[in-house]
Amino acid sequence: MSTQPASPAGTGGRRVLITGVSTYWGGRLAQALERDPAVEAIVGVSPSDPTCELTRTEYVRVGTQHALLKRIVQAARIDTVIDTRLIVDSAAASPRTAHENNVIGTMNILAACGGPDCPVRKVVFKSSAHFYGCERDDPAYFTESMRRPHSPQTSIEKDIVEAERALAAFNDRNAGVTVTVLRFVNGLGPDLATSHSALLSLPAVPSILGFDPRYQFIAADDISGVLEHATRHDLPGVYNAAGDGVLALSEVRSLLGKPPAPILPPWGTGIAAGVLRRAGLKIPPEMLRQLRYGRAVDNRKLKAAGYTFRATSRETVQAFARHLRVRSIGPAVGEGYEYQREVEEFLRWSPAVRGDARLGLERLTPDQLAEVVRALDLLPDGRPARRAPRGTPASASSKSRLRTGSPSSSGGAADSELAAEP
Amino acid sequence: MTRLALPPPTGTQPTSPAGTGSEDLRAHLPAVEPDRAVSDWGRSERVEGLLDATVVSFLYHYWFRCEVEGIENVPSTGGALLVSNHAGALPPDASMIAKAIREEHPRPRKLHMTVEHFFKGYPFFSMLVAKMGGVPAHPANVHRLLRDEDQLVLVFPEGAKGTEKLYKDRYRLRRFGRGGFVEAAMRAGVPIVPIAVVGAEEAMPTFAHVEMLRRLTGLIYFPVTPLFPHLGLLGAAYLPAKFKLRFLEPVWPDRERSGEASADGEAPDRVRKASGRDSRPEPWDDKGLVQDLADDIRLRIQDELVDMVGRRRSAWLG
């Protein structure tokens, strides 16, 4: 059996760790990577249970303790770490929780990814365009090389700037690791619950009197698409991720078919927002700045790096408008996934599970199949193992083809598991 | 491997307007969405068209009776930086120049007017200025419009120093900033078209400034004009001065130095790319050259203004 270490970006499949797999972003990315046969292993970690259905992703409930993460990274020979865990909406968590997660958590994860004997060769970090802030003297389009004109004002922006600083320091120390920082603009999609989707779902769209800020949105499909692109290709550096086009808030409002509600005064806006917060309308401080000055980023670097956006900002808002109209006639069937640990473990590990189209069969990559085949050949009496029928229909043909190939480097997990079987 | 270079989080100026490799990115500009009535810069066809058909048209044809010379100096294609003198407490010159290009030019083009950042902080003004075609005067904005989007951009290098000057100083150009406009044109490889405007000084002359009221209102200045502040909002009305706009011959700042062959209209950094890596410094790094060119353009406009004022018999009838 091969004992060579997992090659980082070679022909052997990638071994991916997704932190924050319970977030919408992490879950969508895991689902996308599950369909990719080039990804050999997906481990998702998060302090809370996944919120979407995953088939071959291994979920480990763990926070950001770097000692534990380091053990997972080492044990699973992870070569790619995708950090989707950043909180970019201060309505989603208290400032203290957000700081713990964004600054301390990032520090811990990077600590687990660094070091001389670490198998990690790539770190993808989901950041936010809040990095740039919103100010009066901003450029119309931020490019990746621009600095913030002013120091951050809100707690979320401070956290993001600090997290990115930790990433830059990590990048300086670890020359062999490709570091990608993706700065996303506001995401908008049917399943994405953010302060902005809440605001745009109201019967009228609140705004600051006398201001019509510029807005960009990115569709949920593009969020996972960009993360996937950064996982598949090596994109060292910082990249802005935003749908094409910049909309004025009034344009967004008319696309949604809603009346304007300029309820926030231009002066004393913070106080008015505090009053509204008591009345149940949550407008976090970083959003207030966006509602006043707006912001747009230049997405051309990411496009030049080979990514094609599936939706423009306008199409994203139109899709959201469709969703709002459909939602008004009642909830869709089959909504609300709940993670059940016992069920998931049964589906993954029980010998009683037969291969079918959705579970089991697709989990095995060609490399893993080759390992299975090789392991079967090595068994002394050639007794057919139970796993054999669970191979894909292509396994018979792949048997002859793959045996001639170079020894796969798919690592220890599958091998030891098979060897342990009676 | 390219190293990640995260900039420090705080600073005052972007390192360069568009970073490195900007020429590759021109192909990746967003496609035009024909259904939209608002541009990516926040410019609204509806608001612009409405104002153009009413107020601007009235001012241009009947109130200021604009007279235009040398409109052919505005190029029909490609980016160009238009540079003009700036006057009047509430300056009408920008919209008159834009209207002149729309009315007189054989191939009417949109003009992007750079405006000071503080407009973005004023309620209603921030909306109106952007919808009329105003763009915050940030070097990165000017570069993107000129270089990447091949647009016409109008700048007033005097800035607020031009509009706040008193009537006794009329038609005496203030300092032309720090020559940033020359640098912008050099970087983008576009011509500079100087414009001399006569009439704006008389349309809304400022006789004095009231410092106390300026502080109280938070405006950039609080002027005393023939109609303001004693007539309140009516003070925004212009006096019917006769406007004359003269577009001067384009200046190619990147071709000014002898021996710098870029006659094919190529941008200077593209030429440099083709002829090996930059062994010589960029032209805009030579601050002396930039200042000389800025002074040169300022003098050309000043000379034209003196000529035009000398020829006219009356400020109201021309």
Side-chain angles (χ1 to χ4, degrees):
Chain A
M1 234 167 269
S2 76
T3 51
Q4 69 186 82
S7 60
T11 49
R14 284 187 177 283
R15 307 183 65 84
V16 177
L17 176 79
I18 300 174
T19 61
V21 78
S22 66
T23 63
Y24 175 77
W25 313 61
R28 283 292 305 267
L29 174 68
Q31 284 178 332
L33 292 180
E34 279 177 349
R35 292 192 291 270
D36 184 357
V39 177
E40 184 186 347
I42 308 169
V43 181
V45 295
S46 173
S48 53
D49 289 337
T51 48
C52 64
E53 196 167 351
L54 302 169
T55 52
R56 69 184 175 105
T57 302
E58 302 300 335
Y59 164 61
V60 187
R61 183 203 292 253
V62 63
T64 56
Q65 299 92 327
H66 79 267
L68 295 178
L69 285 173
K70 183 130 199 156
R71 282 172 67 192
I72 294 173
V73 165
Q74 295 280 9
R77 304 302 294 168
I78 296 295
D79 56 51
T80 303
V81 173
I82 304 156
D83 190 358
T84 64
R85 169 198 48 82
L86 201 75
I87 296 174
V88 296
D89 189 346
S90 64
S94 71
R96 181 178 288 267
T97 320
H99 182 78
E100 277 298 311
N101 177 73
N102 291 353
V103 181
I104 311 300
T106 305
M107 208 176 73
N108 284 336
I109 284 169
L110 292 176
C113 299
D117 56 338
C118 191
V120 175
R121 288 292 160 265
K122 182 194 273 198
V123 174
V124 178
F125 184 76
K126 183 200 89 93
S127 183
S128 159
H130 282 313
F131 174 85
Y132 300 113
C134 295
E135 294 286 346
R136 211 173 56 173
D137 50 359
D138 280 347
Y141 293 89
F142 277 104
T143 61
E144 289 83 351
S145 60
M146 281 178 186
R147 307 171 183 189
R148 268 189 82 108
H150 302 275
S151 50
Q153 303 287 319
T154 64
S155 63
I156 279 288
E157 287 174 27
K158 281 181 195 150
D159 287 354
I160 292 169
V161 166
E162 208 168 326
E164 284 212 15
R165 204 180 301 161
L167 241 86
F170 173 84
N171 186 59
D172 288 341
R173 278 195 306 273
N174 297 273
V177 182
T178 307
V179 178
T180 307
V181 174
L182 299 166
R183 292 186 187 143
F184 286 92
V185 297
N186 302 97
L188 197 61
D191 310 318
L192 202 53
T194 65
S195 288
H196 272 97
S197 64
L199 192 84
L200 298 178
S201 305
L202 293 169
V205 178
S207 63
I208 300 178
L209 184 69
F211 289 92
D212 193 10
R214 289 160 76 238
Y215 259 98
Q216 271 175 326
F217 293 100
I218 184 165
D221 285 343
D222 275 325
I223 291 171
S224 57
V226 169
L227 286 168
E228 208 187 330
H229 187 79
T231 310
R232 290 225 181 108
H233 305 92
D234 279 350
L235 308 178
V238 186
Y239 293 84
N240 291 332
D244 270 349
V246 187
L247 309 174
L249 185 63
S250 57
E251 213 180 346
V252 174
R253 187 172 54 63
S254 64
L255 285 174
L256 295 172
K258 297 191 178 204
I263 48 174
L264 291 161
W267 296 281
T269 317
I271 299 165
V275 173
L276 286 176
R277 205 166 297 143
R278 298 203 160 226
L281 177 61
K282 278 190 185 163
I283 302 183
E286 70 273 5
M287 186 168 159
L288 271 187
R289 302 195 71 81
Q290 263 191 290
L291 283 175
R292 184 179 292 265
Y293 298 124
R295 175 180 54 222
V297 299
D298 190 341
N299 65 357
R300 290 181 290 167
K301 189 178 169 192
L302 189 57
K303 283 158 102 181
Y307 186 74
T308 311
F309 285 93
R310 287 163 218 176
T312 64
S313 289
R314 186 165 184 265
E315 286 160 0
T316 307
V317 174
Q318 283 171 326
F320 188 68
R322 272 196 298 280
H323 157 72
L324 288 184
R325 283 194 289 271
V326 171
R327 199 187 58 171
S328 63
I329 60 172
V333 188
E335 255 182 35
Y337 166 81
E338 198 183 339
Y339 181 82
Q340 301 281 356
R341 172 167 287 273
E342 287 73 19
V343 176
E344 294 293 332
E345 281 181 358
F346 168 79
L347 289 173
R348 278 177 179 72
W349 304 117
S350 169
V353 171
R354 314 302 297 183
D356 78 353
R358 220 194 55 207
L359 283 176
L361 290 193
E362 289 180 348
R363 309 191 315 184
L364 289 184
T365 64
D367 279 330
Q368 285 173 316
L369 279 174
E371 293 289 344
V372 171
V373 167
R374 204 171 302 117
L376 286 177
D377 288 346
L378 286 173
L379 285 177
D381 50 354
R383 183 166 50 96
R386 273 173 305 198
R387 294 249 159 175
R390 288 175 62 187
T392 51
S395 69
S397 60
S398 68
K399 181 175 177 176
S400 55
R401 179 167 56 84
L402 284 164
R403 219 186 315 180
T404 56
S406 62
S408 148
S409 59
S410 62
D415 304 357
S416 55
E417 182 191 309
L418 273 163
E421 279 190 6
Chain B
M1 188 189 300
T2 322
R3 303 302 298 157
L4 174 74
L6 280 177
T10 55
T12 47
Q13 276 294 310
T15 44
S16 86
T20 50
S22 56
E23 43 257 282
D24 312 334
L25 297 181
R26 284 158 57 107
H28 297 285
L29 281 174
V32 176
E33 292 175 283
D35 298 346
R36 286 184 62 188
V38 182
S39 83
D40 282 356
W41 295 90
R43 186 176 196 142
S44 163
E45 271 173 30
R46 221 169 31 151
V47 173
E48 209 189 342
L50 189 72
L51 280 172
D52 183 62
T54 55
V55 183
V56 178
S57 200
F58 169 74
L59 287 176
Y60 183 85
H61 290 294
Y62 304 107
W63 200 251
F64 294 140
R65 295 145 286 141
C66 289
E67 233 171 65
V68 181
E69 290 171 65
I71 193 76
E72 67 280 358
N73 288 322
V74 178
S76 303
T77 54
L81 187 63
L82 277 59
V83 175
S84 164
N85 58 322
H86 203 28
L90 202 65
D93 34 21
S95 47
M96 290 306 114
I97 292 169
K99 180 73 175 163
I101 294 173
R102 272 198 303 271
E103 288 282 316
E104 318 284 340
H105 201 271
R107 192 167 169 274
R109 300 179 67 185
K110 274 190 178 150
L111 179 65
H112 296 260
M113 296 163 275
T114 55
V115 292
E116 296 267 9
H117 292 296
F118 49 69
F119 274 112
K120 212 172 151 192
Y122 292 164
F124 302 107
F125 261 110
S126 69
M127 287 167 74
L128 195 65
V129 162
K131 290 189 191 312
M132 283 164 62
V135 171
H138 192 285
N141 293 353
V142 175
H143 186 80
R144 180 175 169 125
L145 281 168
L146 287 177
R147 179 72 208 282
D148 297 352
E149 303 191 6
D150 289 332
Q151 296 290 320
L152 295 179
V153 179
L154 173 67
V155 296
F156 298 107
E158 291 173 279
K161 292 192 298 298
T163 56
E164 72 183 9
K165 70 173 183 284
L166 300 179
Y167 184 64
K168 65 183 172 64
D169 298 322
R170 60 189 181 278
Y171 300 118
R172 283 170 207 267
L173 291 183
R174 307 282 102 180
R175 182 163 58 80
F176 259 25
R178 276 163 276 181
F181 71 99
V182 174
E183 188 178 331
M186 278 179 168
R187 280 182 190 274
V190 299
I192 294 176
V193 180
I195 306 170
V197 179
V198 165
E201 301 272 12
E202 287 84 9
M204 194 184 279
T206 303
F207 298 123
H209 291 285
V210 188
E211 174 63 18
M212 203 180 64
L213 286 172
R214 181 194 72 83
R215 276 199 214 143
L216 218 64
T217 51
L219 297 168
I220 49 166
Y221 47 75
F222 194 95
V224 178
T225 71
L227 305 176
F228 186 82
H230 39 279
L231 289 184
L233 279 180
L234 271 180
Y238 293 111
L239 301 181
K242 169 82 178 171
F243 260 57
K244 283 183 180 166
L245 295 84
R246 194 178 280 179
F247 293 82
L248 310 181
E249 277 195 15
V251 181
W252 286 86
D254 52 312
R255 293 178 195 169
E256 279 294 301
R257 291 177 305 166
S258 54
E260 293 293 329
S262 49
D264 48 351
E266 287 284 284
D269 42 340
R270 247 182 297 171
V271 174
R272 187 151 301 111
K273 277 264 155 62
S275 60
R277 281 312 296 163
D278 36 350
S279 49
R280 57 199 166 174
E282 307 285 0
W284 50 83
D285 290 333
D286 184 354
K287 294 298 168 207
L289 175 75
V290 169
Q291 283 296 344
D292 283 352
L293 271 169
D295 281 346
D296 189 39
I297 289 164
R298 180 172 168 276
L299 279 178
R300 284 179 69 169
I301 297 177
Q302 182 71 70
D303 288 348
E304 291 299 322
L305 285 176
V306 169
D307 177 59
M308 288 159 82
V309 172
R311 279 164 193 270
R312 77 172 177 182
R313 294 198 198 98
S314 153
W316 317 107
L317 302 172

